[in-house]
Every structure is written in structure tokens, then in C-alpha cells.
Amino acid sequence: MGVMLWLSLTFIFVILEIFIPSLITIWFALAAILTIPITFFFENSKIEILFFFVLSVCFIIFTRPYAKKFLLKNKENFDSSMVGCKVEILNIIRSENNEKIYEVKFKGTIWTALSNDLFSIGENAIITEFKGNKIIIKK
């Protein structure tokens, strides 16, 4: 087949992985780049395709689960286990309406929090739930 074909496929698979992050096409890209040296030893397209196919399947079956676990290791899901945690009120964005809006510090980052209770800066609040990317708090 040829070096240019495998380089092109590598480029295409990398671009696809960038736009559709699924940890699938990156393994095809890696298999394609590793198939390039095979083109120098075997001038048989069936062998190249077989090598590419076997490498792709091996990467997906054996390395994808570990890579996925490694990449998702630091990603924290916010769920019911976060309910009851304390947050500190950093800023009052709006306190006139029934639903007040605050900036709070939670797990080292700044979040937008909603509450019906009135808080002062520096006061602690308790998380009752998450609504989208906002924290719902109470006294």
C-alpha cells in the first residue's frame, strides 16, 4: 500500500479523536503509524492490512480500558455523596430576589450557588443538591 497511505490514515484518525474523543480512533492512529515500518519489510498490502487490524484490535481490547481508567481517575462526579458538604460563601452576586445567587468555594474551585436563604460573605453553607453546574445550598 504505502507509507503515504498509513501516514494519511494516522492523521485522519488523530483528527477524528480530537473531534470525537472516544479513545477508539487514537488506537487506530497508533496502529497505522506502527504499520509504516512493515511497508519497508513486506511489499504486500494484505500483510500490512492484517498487521494494522491485529494491532488495532489488541490496542482496543488490552490498552483502552487502562487508558480510560487512567484518564478518568482524577475526574470527579458530583452526586449524592457531595450532599451535606460545607461550602464557603465568597461573593454575593444577587440577593434581592427570592432565589439568591452566590459564588462559593467547593473543592478548591469557584462555583455558582443558588439558595432561598440569605448568607453573608465568609459564612458556611451546606450543599443540598446539584442543578446542572450550580450548587443548591441552605443554612
Side-chain angles (χ1 to χ4, degrees), residues 92-102 117-119:
I92 301 169
I93 297 174
R94 189 178 72 204
S95 63
E96 305 86 44
N97 297 348
N98 193 22
E99 186 174 66
K100 291 141 186 72
I101 303 173
Y102 302 95
D117 299 334
L118 185 61
F119 291 97

Side-chain angles (χ1 to χ4, degrees), residues 44-57:
N44 185 342
S45 59
K46 290 180 183 177
I47 291 175
E48 293 173 24
I49 292 170
L50 180 66
F51 184 79
F52 171 77
F53 178 75
V54 169
L55 269 182
S56 298
V57 169

Side-chain angles (χ1 to χ4, degrees), residues 14-118:
V14 167
I15 296 299
L16 283 174
E17 186 67 35
I18 290 170
F19 288 109
I20 311 167
S22 61
L23 276 180
I24 294 286
T25 56
I26 195 67
W27 303 121
F28 293 136
L30 187 58
I33 200 87
L34 291 174
T35 303
I36 292 173
I38 296 302
T39 63
F40 296 118
F41 296 111
F42 303 100
E43 292 186 17
N44 185 342
S45 59
K46 290 180 183 177
I47 291 175
E48 293 173 24
I49 292 170
L50 180 66
F51 184 79
F52 171 77
F53 178 75
V54 169
L55 269 182
S56 298
V57 169
C58 288
F59 285 146
I60 290 171
I61 291 173
F62 297 113
T63 60
R64 183 176 184 262
Y66 296 110
K68 197 171 186 180
K69 185 187 245 185
F70 176 76
L71 291 173
L72 297 177
K73 179 174 63 173
N74 294 329
K75 186 177 181 181
E76 190 160 4
N77 294 325
F78 293 99
D79 55 20
S80 60
S81 69
M82 306 293 181
V83 172
C85 292
K86 288 185 179 183
V87 294
E88 180 185 352
I89 307 294
L90 296 178
N91 190 14
I92 301 169
I93 297 174
R94 189 178 72 204
S95 63
E96 305 86 44
N97 297 348
N98 193 22
E99 186 174 66
K100 291 141 186 72
I101 303 173
Y102 302 95
E103 280 185 349
V104 297
K105 188 171 191 175
F106 180 61
K107 297 217 175 247
T109 57
I110 308 294
W111 285 74
T112 300
L114 307 174
S115 180
N116 292 331
D117 299 334
L118 185 61

Side-chain angles (χ1 to χ4, degrees), residues 1-17:
M1 291 188 123
V3 175
M4 291 309 290
L5 172 71
W6 294 111
L7 277 174
S8 300
L9 284 174
T10 301
F11 180 73
I12 290 168
F13 289 133
V14 167
I15 296 299
L16 283 174
E17 186 67 35

